[in-house]
């Protein structure tokens, strides 16, 4: 009954390092999303996935890589972290099947600081 | 492309008073509209959503929102605010691909005793 979880909840890293943020959902939802939340910008979509092995760019994809080999996992990788990627990252999921079922359910977030 | 404006960054309301949070959207076709709430340190939780039909939508926690096409608005209301309602509120609009939401910048609600 975990729902959607993210790990780690907090991460401090240095410029240039690779960082992977994990997202896991237990509902077998088809769609998964990564957002970043920054003051003055609200939430902005980084990448989303409609199913395993299907991913697409959102509004701000540069500097990020995603994969989805299993339906329940959707990791987000910062290949070479920059200070501008300091943010709070939210993962979300929703089930496919029609306009009445596309509520997005959000994880608790990961606060990432890049020094 | 769709966009959302939440003109109020902060709002302070006395406990027991009524609340209205403003949301204006821009989208050429019929929008899919959502209100989410984010409590401190938490993820976002859906309060309510509008797709079609009755323009007054009821949500959880006593919230409601009214879709006004002529004003491109989807304002959130609550008749009597509780201290536990203090949080950040986000309006969002869905567009061509309804699974992709565009969020507003949020309104932080403060509740005074």
């Amino acid at each position: 009954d975990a729902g959607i979880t993210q790990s780690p909840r907090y991460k401090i890293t240095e410029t240039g390092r690779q960082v992977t943020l994990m997202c896991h959902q237990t509902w077998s939802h088809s769609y998964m999303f990564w957002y970043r939340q920054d003051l003055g910008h609200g939430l902005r979509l980084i990448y989303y996935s409609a199913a395993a092995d299907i991913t697409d760019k959102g509004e701000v994809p540069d500097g990020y890589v995603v994969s989805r080999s299993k339906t329940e996992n959707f990791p987000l990788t910062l290949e070479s972290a920059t200070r501008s990627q300091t943010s709070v990252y939210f993962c979300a999921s929703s089930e496919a099947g029609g306009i009445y079922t596309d509520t997005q359910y959000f994880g608790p977030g990961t606060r990432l600081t890049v020094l | 492309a769709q966009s959302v404006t939440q003109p109020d960054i902060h709002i302070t309301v006395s406990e027991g008073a009524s609340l209205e949070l403003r949301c204006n959207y821009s989208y050429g076709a019929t929008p899919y509209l959502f209100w989410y709430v984010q409590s401190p340190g938490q993820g976002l939780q859906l309060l309510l959503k509008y797709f079609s039909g009755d323009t007054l939508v009821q949500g959880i926690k006593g919230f409601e929102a009214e879709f006004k096409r002529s004003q491109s608005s989807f304002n959130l209301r609550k008749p009597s605010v509780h201290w536990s309602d203090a949080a950040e509120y986000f309006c969002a609009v869905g567009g061509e691909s309804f699974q992709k939401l565009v969020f507003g910048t949020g309104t932080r609600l403060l509740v005074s005793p």
Side-chain angles (χ1 to χ4, degrees), chain A residues 9 31 33 35 37 40-43 45 48 57 90 94-96 98-100 102-104 106-108, chain B residues 32 34 36 38 41-46 49 51-52 88 90 97-106:
Chain A
R9 293 294 312 278
Y31 284 80
F33 309 82
Y35 294 90
Q37 182 180 32
H41 290 280
L43 276 80
L45 182 65
Y48 72 103
K57 296 178 181 179
F90 287 99
S94 69
E95 51 181 341
I99 63 173
Y100 297 104
D102 66 345
T103 297
Q104 292 190 21
F106 285 78
Chain B
Y32 303 109
F34 305 78
Y36 282 85
Q38 183 182 26
Q42 303 296 313
L44 280 72
Q45 180 185 21
L46 180 70
K49 58 187 177 184
F51 292 148
S52 65
E88 188 144 22
F90 291 92
S97 167
F98 59 81
Q99 294 286 3
K100 295 168 66 176
L101 297 182
V102 173
F103 285 83
T105 52

Side-chain angles (χ1 to χ4, degrees), chain A residues 53-69:
Chain A
D53 298 321
I54 300 175
T55 63
D56 204 354
K57 296 178 181 179
E59 182 184 357
V60 289
D62 293 343
Y64 302 95
V65 174
V66 293
S67 62
R68 193 155 176 220
S69 57

Side-chain angles (χ1 to χ4, degrees), chain A:
Chain A
D1 192 42
I4 184 165
T5 58
Q6 294 182 235
S7 61
R9 293 294 312 278
Y10 302 91
K11 177 73 176 178
I12 300 174
T13 191
E14 295 177 336
T15 300
R17 291 192 180 268
Q18 183 179 81
V19 177
T20 296
L21 309 183
M22 303 301 294
C23 179
H24 176 78
Q25 52 106 353
T26 60
W27 295 305
S28 298
H29 284 172
S30 294
Y31 284 80
M32 296 187 74
F33 309 82
W34 275 108
Y35 294 90
R36 59 178 291 172
Q37 182 180 32
D38 304 290
L39 201 62
H41 290 280
L43 276 80
R44 291 181 291 175
L45 182 65
I46 304 171
Y47 270 96
Y48 72 103
S49 168
D53 298 321
I54 300 175
T55 63
D56 204 354
K57 296 178 181 179
E59 182 184 357
V60 289
D62 293 343
Y64 302 95
V65 174
V66 293
S67 62
R68 193 155 176 220
S69 57
K70 293 183 178 182
T71 300
E72 61 267 30
N73 296 324
F74 191 39
L76 176 74
T77 298
L78 289 66
E79 293 188 299
S80 179
T82 65
R83 290 196 181 90
S84 65
Q85 292 177 309
T86 293
S87 186
V88 181
Y89 291 85
F90 287 99
C91 180
S93 71
S94 69
E95 51 181 341
I99 63 173
Y100 297 104
T101 59
D102 66 345
T103 297
Q104 292 190 21
Y105 298 89
F106 285 78
T110 294
R111 184 175 293 276
L112 175 67
T113 301
V114 183
L115 302 176

Side-chain angles (χ1 to χ4, degrees), chain B residues 12-86:
Chain B
T12 300
V13 175
S14 299
E15 190 169 15
S18 64
L19 168 70
E20 183 168 26
L21 301 182
R22 296 184 291 166
C23 173
N24 293 99
Y25 69 90
S26 173
Y27 184 58
T30 299
Y32 303 109
L33 296 162
F34 305 78
W35 274 101
Y36 282 85
V37 60
Q38 183 182 26
S39 298
Q42 303 296 313
L44 280 72
Q45 180 185 21
L46 180 70
L47 283 176
L48 47 80
K49 58 187 177 184
Y50 170 79
F51 292 148
S52 65
D54 192 346
T55 57
L56 185 62
V57 180
Q58 301 298 320
I60 63 171
K61 304 184 180 185
F63 285 91
E64 66 178 26
E66 186 171 12
F67 171 59
K68 294 185 177 180
R69 184 186 298 275
S70 61
Q71 298 178 18
S72 297
S73 69
F74 188 57
N75 294 349
L76 182 71
R77 300 193 295 247
K78 186 170 185 178
S80 178
V81 168
H82 188 262
W83 63 266
S84 60
D85 293 324

